[in-house]
């Protein structure tokens, strides 16, 4: 779903619903992943985790300057009856210094 930030640097910004979710029915080892071209609007799938690697069905190509400076690439929130291995994976324009980014 969507939500609007109430404070901090994101105050007033609204999130984007990616159209899929993790729930108590999501099998262990699955994550929400961006797929397809990184140059195109994001398409999201639920698939086996690929933390630190290219996502299932994702391909990297030269987008020129059209690729965002930073975007979310993969989420893993919760395994049923377990609370471990959660992560948010960011990616972005290779010409930008990603070491100064924080979530």
């Amino acid at each position: 779903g969507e939500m609007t930030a109430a404070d901090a640097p994101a105050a007033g910004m609204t999130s984007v619903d990616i159209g899929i979710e993790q729930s108590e029915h999501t099998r262990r080892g699955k994550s929400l992943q961006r797929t397809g071209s990184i140059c195109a609007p994001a398409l999201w799938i639920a698939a086996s985790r690929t933390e630190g690697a290219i996502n299932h069905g994702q391909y990297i190509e030269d987008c020129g300057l059209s690729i965002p400076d930073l975007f979310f690439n993969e989420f893993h929130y919760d395994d049923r009856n377990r609370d471990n291995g959660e992560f948010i994976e960011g990616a972005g324009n290779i010409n930008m210094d990603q070491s100064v980014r924080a979530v």
Side-chain angles (χ1 to χ4, degrees):
E2 293 182 353
M3 63 182 125
T4 301
D7 59 21
M13 296 177 74
T14 302
S15 67
V16 175
D17 185 343
I18 63 173
I20 61 173
E21 63 183 35
Q22 282 187 302
S23 72
E24 67 274 6
H25 304 293
T26 303
R27 292 190 341 217
R28 287 190 180 135
K30 299 289 183 181
S31 67
L32 306 180
Q33 303 173 20
R34 210 183 139 114
T35 189
S37 169
I38 62 168
C39 302
L43 298 173
W44 291 87
I45 61 170
S48 298
R49 293 169 50 164
T50 60
E51 185 176 5
I54 294 176
N55 296 344
H56 297 280
Q58 186 176 51
Y59 55 96
I60 310 299
E61 59 186 327
D62 183 1
C63 304
L65 297 176
S66 66
I67 188 169
D69 292 345
L70 178 68
F71 58 88
F72 293 120
N73 196 50
E74 184 174 1
F75 300 88
H76 174 70
Y77 172 68
D78 197 16
D79 284 325
R80 184 177 16 189
N81 301 323
R82 287 189 169 179
D83 193 23
N84 62 2
E86 287 84 1
F87 68 91
I88 298 173
E89 181 179 83
N93 190 321
I94 195 168
N95 297 314
M96 300 299 295
D97 179 5
Q98 300 302 329
S99 68
V100 298
R101 308 289 188 208
V103 175

